[in-house]
Amino acid sequence: MKTTVLQKNIFWIILFAALLLLSAAALLALKLFPPRGTVAKLYQSGSLIRSIDLSHVEEPYEFTVTSPLGENTVRVEPGRIRVVSADCPDGVCVNMGWLSFAPIVCLPHEFMILTDRSPGTAADAGMPDGTAG
Amino acid sequence: MKKLPSGAKRIVLDALFAAVALSLFVIELMIPLSVGIPGVKLGLANIVTVVAVFLLSPVDAAGILYTRILLGGVFSGQAMALLYSLAGGTLCFIATLVLKRFVTEKQIWAVSVIGSLAHNLGQTLVAAAVLRTGAVFLYLPVLFIAGILAGLFTGVSAQILVSRLGGVFRARYENIYGRGNGR
C-alpha cells in the first residue's frame, strides 16, 4: 500500500465532511419542504389508535393515551399537536415539541404521532385501524 | 506479536475495562443532553470499546462490550433501552472490528466516527421495527450530524489512549504475562 498516513486521514476527513454536508442539506430540505399533511395519526405499539384532522380543530384540547407501557398526554391545538407530558423515563417525546416533519416518538411506550404524508407504516398497509376521528 | 494475558489475569484485565466502560456509561446518563431526538448521546463508553478492539482480542472486546451493555441496562433501570443498546452496540462493534483491518493506529479517530454512525443506524433500525414504520429514518440526518461530532470526540480520545497504552501493553505483557503463563 503506497498511501501515506496523511493521505488516509485526508480520505476520512473528506468523507466525513461530505456526510456532514449531505446530512445538513437533507435536514434543510426537510425543514423547507416538510412531508406533512394536516392529519395527525397516533399509533400505539404499531396500531393506529386515533386520527385527528388538525385543520378542523377549533378549540385546544388534551387527552391521555394509556397503554400497558405507560401514559402519554397529548395536546391538540388548531393546526398542531404535541405531547405535553409522559411518564416515560427519558421524556424525549415531550422535548420534541410540536409535530413537524419527523414523527414524535416515545420509544419506551411504543407510542408515535405521524402525519398522513410520512413514509408509510405497517399499520396503514391494510391492517384494521381503530380510527376514532 | 503481542502476548495477551490468559486465565485469571485476562479476566481481571477485561473486568477493569468493563468497569471503566460502565462508569463512563453511567456518568454520561447524568449529563442532560435533552435534544428533542432519541439516540443523541456522546457515547463515552465507546471509547473503551474501541481501545479494547485495538489492544485486545475480539473475544475480550466483545465480552467487555456486552458486559457493559447488560450491566448498564440494569444500572440505568431501563429495560426497553437494552434492546436499542444491544442493536446499536453490536453494529458499532462489528463495524469497528471490520475497519481495524484496513486502518493504522493513526486512523482510530475515523473508526470511532463510523462506529458512532453504525450505532445510530442500529438503534434506528430497531425503532423502525418496534414502531413498524419507516418514518423514524427521517431522524437519520440529525443523528448522523450528532454522531459524527460525538464520534470525533470519542475517537480522538480512543486514539490517544491506544497510543499511550499500547506501549504499556507491549512492554509489560510480553515481559510479565507472556513469561508467567509459560507459552
Side-chain angles (χ1 to χ4, degrees):
Chain A
M1 278 280 251
K2 293 276 176 88
T3 48
T4 68
V5 166
L6 183 62
Q7 282 174 330
K8 284 192 187 182
N9 273 336
I10 288 179
F11 160 73
W12 290 111
I13 292 175
I14 293 181
L15 179 68
F16 296 142
L19 265 175
L20 266 175
L21 274 165
L22 255 169
S23 300
L27 203 56
L28 199 63
L30 281 173
K31 288 223 165 211
L32 290 176
F33 310 107
R36 171 170 57 154
T38 54
V39 178
K41 301 204 234 178
L42 283 64
Y43 293 84
Q44 175 62 54
S45 301
S47 333
L48 179 67
I49 55 166
R50 196 140 169 181
S51 197
I52 303 174
D53 191 335
L54 296 171
S55 57
H56 290 164
V57 175
E58 310 263 314
E59 297 278 333
Y61 63 95
E62 295 187 3
F63 61 91
T64 303
V65 176
T66 314
S67 77
L69 296 166
E71 296 191 343
N72 296 79
T73 305
V74 179
R75 179 173 180 82
V76 182
E77 293 186 2
R80 52 187 199 168
I81 184 172
R82 66 170 293 177
V83 176
V84 287
S85 75
D87 58 1
C88 54
D90 53 25
V92 173
C93 46
V94 180
N95 287 336
M96 283 188 188
W98 301 102
L99 180 68
S100 65
F101 61 87
I104 295 180
V105 166
C106 185
L107 287 173
H109 294 169
E110 295 180 22
F111 172 71
M112 170 173 73
I113 306 180
L114 287 183
T115 70
D116 57 343
R117 274 168 59 195
S118 294
T121 72
D124 293 336
M127 278 166 60
D129 62 324
T131 324
Chain B
M1 187 63 194
K2 287 184 286 202
K3 279 215 175 71
L4 297 172
S6 60
K9 286 170 178 156
R10 180 184 182 187
I11 293 180
V12 170
L13 183 66
D14 292 353
L16 270 172
F17 270 73
V20 172
L22 195 56
S23 310
L24 285 170
F25 178 76
V26 169
I27 288 174
E28 193 183 337
L29 283 180
M30 303 186 203
I31 303 177
L33 268 182
S34 59
V35 192
I37 299 115
V40 171
K41 54 191 292 202
L42 276 175
L44 294 177
N46 190 245
I47 299 178
V48 177
T49 309
V50 172
V51 171
V53 164
F54 277 86
L55 290 181
L56 304 174
S57 77
V59 175
D60 292 287
I64 293 165
L65 174 68
Y66 289 109
T67 305
R68 183 259 293 178
I69 290 180
L70 280 168
L71 286 178
V74 169
F75 282 24
S76 67
Q78 297 174 26
M80 195 58 184
L82 198 61
L83 191 61
Y84 295 95
S85 278
L86 276 172
T90 303
L91 214 58
C92 168
F93 181 58
I94 293 175
T96 309
L97 271 179
V98 167
L99 280 175
K100 179 186 175 184
R101 300 188 171 280
F102 301 108
V103 300
T104 73
E105 289 189 355
K106 294 279 185 196
Q107 277 98 48
I108 293 179
W109 68 276
V111 174
S112 179
V113 174
I114 300 283
S116 173
L117 295 180
H119 187 101
N120 285 335
L121 192 62
Q123 291 188 312
T124 307
L125 283 169
V126 172
V130 167
L131 296 168
R132 279 180 254 169
T133 174
V136 284
F137 288 106
L138 284 173
Y139 279 116
L140 275 184
V142 183
L143 288 178
F144 268 25
I145 293 176
I148 291 177
L149 295 174
L152 263 172
F153 175 69
T154 57
V156 170
S157 310
Q159 183 160 324
I160 293 175
L161 276 172
V162 168
S163 73
R164 298 279 171 89
L165 286 176
V168 172
F169 269 68
R170 278 184 272 276
R172 287 206 104 142
Y173 291 124
E174 277 172 12
N175 291 338
I176 300 176
Y177 297 104
R179 249 185 316 157
N181 288 312
R183 181 21 279 179

